[in-house]
Amino acid sequence: MMKNKQVNSPFLVAIGLGGLLLLVGNVYIVKSLIVFGSPLLFAIGIAIELILLVIVAHSLIRLLHVPIKIAVSIIRSAWSGVATNEYVRRFRSSHRSISTWLVGRLSPKQPTGLYLTLGVITALVVFSGFINVLQNVVGHGSLTQIDVRIANLMPYIRTPLQTTFFRFVTFLDNGQSIVLLVALAGGILWRARQRLAAVSFIAALLIGEVGSYIPKHLVGRMRPDPALSLYKQGTFSFPSGHVIRSTILSGLLAYLLFRSFRSTLSRYLIIGGYVISVALVALSRVYLGVHYPSDVIASVFLGGSILVLFITGIEILTRYKLWQQKPTSFRSRRLLAIPPILLVVSLLLSPVSIHLTTMHKTTILRTIQAINETTTKSLPVYSETLTGKTMEPINFIYLGSRGQIQHQFLSHGWYKADPSTVSNTLKALAVGFQGRQYLNAPVTPSYLASQPETLAFQQPTQSNTLRQRHHTRLWRTNFRLPDGSEVWVATASYDEGIEFSGSAKIPTHHIDPNVDAERDYITRSLQLDVMQYLQVVKAQAGKNAGGDIFFTDGRAVVTKLSS
């Protein structure tokens, strides 16, 4: 056995150090994705970070297995000496019930000792994450504001391929798939005489459903606007039953597979597969528009705490032989057949079981008599980051239709920005670092009254690279003039080049701080007929999402577009 450990040590060191380096690099990438504003890429980055964390922790525990045993032995020896101390003996004698209880909770020799204590503490720590999100949701905290902005952004970044993929993923934890998973796992384990594990799957399913049902009806949070969703779901939104089931049942399956395989690589693949599967199910619920991000985050915490308690219970029952069964160890590699079976079933049934529909949001336009300093007080005038932080004020007010706006820009050498999908964002990042051009590159999503930009346009400079560009974002408001002209507002800035901003030195576009100069350039470029320069805010300075400083006189160009 010692020889085997020595052989594995270099491999574990390499895995641990490699995982640590990747983890540090991934933290940097995740911070960058916050600035770039791509929710899907950000979620993928978080999933990778969790996998790397588990790999590093597991490698460290394996490497420190012998030192930990030595340390525990030293602590026990030291405690034996301390226990003979006169003052300690007096305290234990006068507080016998308390000291006996504490010693019992830390004793590895009894079922209610160390393993139960560690399991309960871990479950409580994970459950505290659920409580924090719950408090934020009930108290309408900052997280709920992010929820609304991401929900509003989803329709703009969906693609047919992504939609098909996430419909397939979300079916993996539909009622049909879950019943199949429990039946397959229960049958395999029962035939292998692993009755405790078989019963655990049924119990986990029931407890997961109860754990989802109770907070759903206590909180009573409504689902996102149906116009933002791709299919209809009943009941309430918080928490997500799909994600709770995925966290508990997939976690229980991963735990049993983890015990069935001894090789380090196999175990890492099991861990990675589990984290990715839960992350994708959670992401699918947000992507399809049936849950908010806080719903799925809370569900992972709640499901994780239940999973910890289940694993703790199984470990205690088998370790102390409280469950009379033969064999007493869980090793059933046949469980490995379940994931591919579920994948095939989902591939075949998801298109016929989940019927996707696209609803168009109906906007009721309010009529205002004219655009002046009084009526602009009804308009949203500040752009916002994903977290709601105020950025640049609007510097354009366009009067016209969507078609007129697109014609005005496209006929004057401007290009319409592509949506911020995963593929478009990755393409823009690659092109930007290579110093090449992407004329329809997506812009980082910005928000106005919690709504992402309706349209965005950009124009290349003489350098003809993505690192430098003129660009503007436009939002359609809920107002129109008596002649039917819709009211649009816009912000604009000039990207001078790429910089490494903030304490983390994240690569992002650096803007020219004089946003009024870009306003004037666009006015000339589009040959706009300026009706007036309207003072919408006071002259001021501020910072954008990337931390760049800007200043403005607070005026907006008001222009009416013709056909």
Side-chain angles (χ1 to χ4, degrees), residues 161-344:
L161 180 60
Q162 286 178 173
T163 299
T164 300
F165 173 73
F166 283 118
R167 177 174 62 181
F168 158 75
V169 169
T170 207
F171 188 83
L172 290 172
D173 284 279
N174 261 21
Q176 304 96 310
S177 298
I178 289 300
V179 170
L180 179 61
L181 185 155
V182 173
L184 288 173
I188 291 172
L189 292 167
W190 195 269
R191 285 179 60 85
R193 300 172 65 189
Q194 303 292 343
R195 306 295 165 79
L196 173 60
V199 172
S200 296
F201 271 93
I202 300 173
L205 174 61
L206 295 176
I207 292 177
E209 292 303 306
V210 173
S212 168
Y213 180 87
I214 293 176
K216 268 184 186 294
H217 289 80
L218 286 178
V219 176
R221 187 186 197 185
M222 301 306 296
R223 290 186 184 270
D225 187 340
L228 305 173
S229 305
L230 287 178
Y231 79 107
K232 187 177 180 180
Q233 283 272 268
T235 70
F236 298 111
S237 181
F238 182 93
S240 166
H242 277 69
V243 178
I244 290 176
R245 290 195 294 262
S246 178
T247 305
I248 298 173
L249 295 172
S250 298
L252 197 54
L253 180 63
Y255 160 71
L256 295 175
L257 286 172
F258 187 90
R259 292 192 56 165
S260 299
F261 289 86
R262 294 301 182 188
S263 75
T264 301
L265 179 59
S266 298
R267 289 185 163 186
Y268 286 162
L269 289 174
I270 291 167
I271 293 169
Y274 169 61
V275 174
I276 290 173
S277 66
V278 173
L280 286 176
V281 170
L283 193 55
S284 74
R285 307 306 289 168
V286 177
Y287 178 89
L288 295 173
V290 292
H291 280 290
Y292 293 108
S294 60
D295 296 339
V296 299
I297 293 171
S299 302
V300 170
F301 283 124
L302 179 57
S305 62
I306 296 172
L307 176 64
V308 169
L309 291 178
F310 262 96
I311 292 176
T312 301
I314 293 174
E315 286 287 337
I316 291 174
L317 288 172
T318 54
R319 186 180 296 272
Y320 298 98
K321 299 181 180 179
L322 300 178
W323 180 279
Q324 297 301 321
Q325 67 170 24
K326 294 181 181 180
T328 56
S329 61
F330 296 122
R331 292 186 186 180
S332 184
R333 297 192 177 189
R334 293 180 181 179
L335 292 172
L336 199 60
I338 294 178
I341 291 175
L342 292 177
L343 291 175
V344 171

